[in-house]
Amino acid sequence: MTEATMTVPAHVPAHLVRDFNIFFDGSYDEVFSHWKGLHDEDRPEIFWTPRNGGHWIVTRAEDVETVYGNGDLFTTVPYGNAIPYRNTPAPPLPIASEPPEHTEYRRLINPFFFPKRIQKVGEHARQLTRDIMDRLIPQGGCEFYNDFAMFMPIYAFLGLAGLPEEDWEMLMPWAQTVVREPDMEVAAATTRDAWAYLKSRVDVRRTQPGDDPLTALVQGEAFGRRLDENECVGSALNILFAGVDTTPATLSFVAHHLATHPDHRRALIDKPSLIPAAVEEYLRRFPAGVTGRGVKNDMEYKGVTMKQGDPVLSPALLGNLDERRFPDAMTVDFDRKNVAGQTLTFGAGPHRCIGMMLARMQLRVFLEEWLPRLPDFWVAEDDVPLVRCGTAMAMTHLPLRW
Ligand code: HEM
């Protein structure tokens, strides 16, 4: 393990080193037991993995919350929240900023995520869902990730962002490469392509303004001035990569769970008033993002010596599967109490996800539209679903039949 030995810094003691690579593929059971295994009694709760340039991983809900939410200890400046760090032409914003600058950047795009807007996008998402289902139902089955999950939320997102629907074909592979490609050179080249694309879209807004976040970035003011080009494109990049892959990823796990749990399907069909609680519980059980921070200053954190700039991964999944916060955490239970208040799916603190209402709405629309029309569906017996993990995890192959 040559790379491994190189990426254990001198301040990390040997008893806190474990080999864990966030980039891996596997079946549903393999993937979740691999992650959940990090809670085993004989594992340190905070450990260093030499993989991907080397980084800490915190495994318990309390620490995941602190890493996301305590900007005095853990920061997104200067690189953002991706581990390993993604080489972008300029920092992605608002994620790679901290208050008070962060508040200014976020203020410009906030209105596009207010309930009235989301309601409008919701109507679009509902119509899209109906149209896609009209096409899929006569087929007797589909590969859910490519045939559904990647369409509905992304077309709805493009509508919100004021981007042309035909751009979908280009955007989707980019988003997937950026979040699940272990080769940093490939990820960086893709990011540069996305940067050039967004720069051209941002430029258009200077002469042809619309009612969309890109126009708000170009025309609006922060810090008493217009944003420069890097700030505008960096913000567009953050919205794009945070918004495009995450909801499809969550939908893929929800569909898999429903396909393998007829009782849960039945419960939601018989009692649709359960759907909002089901959305929260699915978000808890299947959080897509696997992100983190850098250590702000040299410090001791819970007895662990951390140095300024050490990357710290805080997977929401581990926080949400922590039995100390959610008893019987691996089980999907629509009757679980106070899920939204404790879940780490959308992070914590000032960077808490700006798109969370949009994501919730899209999941709700899916459950409301899909289940009454397709009450019975299952995983194809002659095929195997595949989960891919990286800085976001998704079931990228989900063969369904009905
Ligand atoms: C189920 C779907 C989603 C999940 C699980 C999710 C998860 C997250 C998480 C964990 C964070 C905090 C990251 C951190 O602090 O390191 C975050 C931030 C963010 N999300 Fe989401 N997200 C989802 C959907 C969306 C959508 C649909 C959009 C936009 C259309 C979006 C845009 C953003 C942005 C711009 C940030 C950065 C906020 C800031 O730095 O203030 N997300 N998201």
Side-chain angles (χ1 to χ4, degrees):
M1 191 149 83
T2 324
E3 189 226 7
T5 28
M6 283 192 321
T7 50
V8 179
H11 65 280
V12 176
H15 73 277
L16 292 185
V17 179
R18 296 286 187 283
D19 187 9
F20 190 90
N21 190 350
I22 60 164
F23 294 97
F24 68 103
D25 300 347
S27 68
Y28 175 93
D29 288 341
E30 283 163 354
V31 164
F32 283 101
S33 62
H34 196 48
W35 278 108
K36 184 65 184 151
L38 296 181
H39 285 158
D40 286 352
E41 288 297 311
D42 59 344
R43 291 256 181 182
E45 292 186 3
I46 299 170
F47 70 93
W48 178 273
T49 173
R51 296 282 178 167
N52 302 305
H55 59 89
W56 296 104
I57 302 188
V58 300
T59 62
R60 293 294 178 172
E62 188 180 88
D63 300 318
V64 171
E65 190 159 6
T66 302
V67 173
Y68 273 133
N70 188 335
D72 293 334
L73 303 182
F74 302 98
T75 179
T76 58
V77 176
Y79 300 113
N81 63 352
I83 294 175
Y85 295 133
R86 294 299 196 259
N87 197 354
T88 53
L93 296 168
I95 194 73
S97 63
E98 296 287 10
E101 289 78 14
H102 170 266
T103 317
E104 285 278 284
Y105 288 125
R106 196 155 155 155
R107 184 177 52 74
L108 284 177
I109 51 173
N110 263 340
F112 297 93
F113 298 91
F114 287 167
K116 231 172 144 182
R117 291 270 173 173
I118 300 303
Q119 200 187 335
K120 217 170 136 210
V121 185
E123 287 158 22
H124 186 200
R126 196 174 293 281
Q127 193 52 51
L128 285 166
T129 303
R130 290 178 182 161
D131 293 347
I132 302 169
M133 290 191 76
D134 286 346
R135 194 159 37 80
L136 293 182
I137 287 174
Q139 292 179 195
C142 73
E143 193 289 285
F144 185 83
Y145 188 69
N146 287 286
D147 293 342
F148 185 90
M150 290 211 303
F151 275 99
M152 184 275 263
I154 296 166
Y155 273 53
F157 166 83
L158 291 174
L160 173 120
L163 295 170
E165 287 195 350
E166 60 269 23
D167 289 1
W168 175 89
E169 270 182 62
M170 195 167 52
L171 293 176
M172 197 56 218
W174 283 348
Q176 294 193 340
T177 303
V178 169
V179 296
R180 281 186 283 279
E181 170 58 57
D183 184 331
M184 289 303 106
E185 289 302 312
V186 177
T190 307
T191 306
R192 284 195 296 276
D193 289 343
W195 186 273
Y197 158 81
L198 286 169
K199 182 178 163 330
S200 69
R201 292 288 171 214
V202 162
D203 285 345
V204 169
R205 294 305 191 286
R206 290 185 206 284
T207 49
Q208 297 167 32
D211 180 20
D212 55 58
L214 298 196
T215 302
L217 291 165
V218 169
Q219 310 266 331
E221 288 202 353
F223 320 103
R225 60 167 175 83
R226 289 274 166 93
L227 298 192
D228 66 27
E229 184 169 275
N230 278 345
E231 291 171 312
C232 287
V233 184
S235 303
L237 191 80
N238 191 179
I239 300 171
L240 178 71
F241 286 148
V244 162
D245 182 74
T246 37
T247 316
T250 313
L251 270 176
S252 66
F253 288 113
V254 172
H256 176 262
H257 183 267
L258 287 168
T260 49
H261 292 79
D263 293 354
H264 288 75
R265 289 202 305 269
R266 201 67 262 157
L268 295 179
I269 293 165
D270 291 347
K271 204 173 162 199
S273 60
L274 272 180
I275 286 179
V279 166
E280 292 310 323
E281 176 63 350
Y282 278 133
L283 281 164
R284 177 198 71 81
R285 180 61 184 80
F286 302 113
V290 183
T291 57
R293 297 285 186 270
V295 172
K296 193 161 178 179
N297 295 303
D298 292 0
M299 66 168 168
E300 289 270 310
Y301 178 75
K302 296 199 170 170
V304 175
T305 302
M306 295 183 171
K307 294 279 186 195
Q308 183 181 30
D310 279 359
V312 185
L313 193 81
S314 50
L317 177 69
L318 290 176
N320 289 353
L321 293 184
D322 186 348
E323 312 282 333
R324 294 176 196 165
R325 182 166 293 200
F326 294 106
D328 193 17
M330 294 288 271
T331 301
V332 170
D333 175 3
F334 298 154
D335 293 327
R336 205 182 278 281
K337 300 284 172 276
N338 190 20
V339 178
Q342 299 191 82
T343 183
L344 295 158
T345 299
F346 294 114
H351 292 284
R352 200 165 151 86
C353 178
I354 201 170
M356 63 187 176
M357 267 196 280
L358 175 59
R360 285 185 167 115
M361 178 278 295
Q362 292 179 334
L363 294 174
R364 206 187 66 226
V365 164
F366 167 69
L367 294 173
E368 286 171 355
E369 294 294 324
W370 183 282
L371 286 172
R373 288 183 74 185
L374 269 180
D376 284 315
F377 57 100
W378 54 91
V379 176
E381 286 96 2
D382 56 348
D383 203 344
V384 185
L386 178 78
V387 180
R388 295 195 68 197
C389 296
T391 57
M393 53 194 283
M395 189 164 262
T396 55
H397 182 71
L398 176 55
L400 295 182
R401 300 287 177 268
W402 46 82

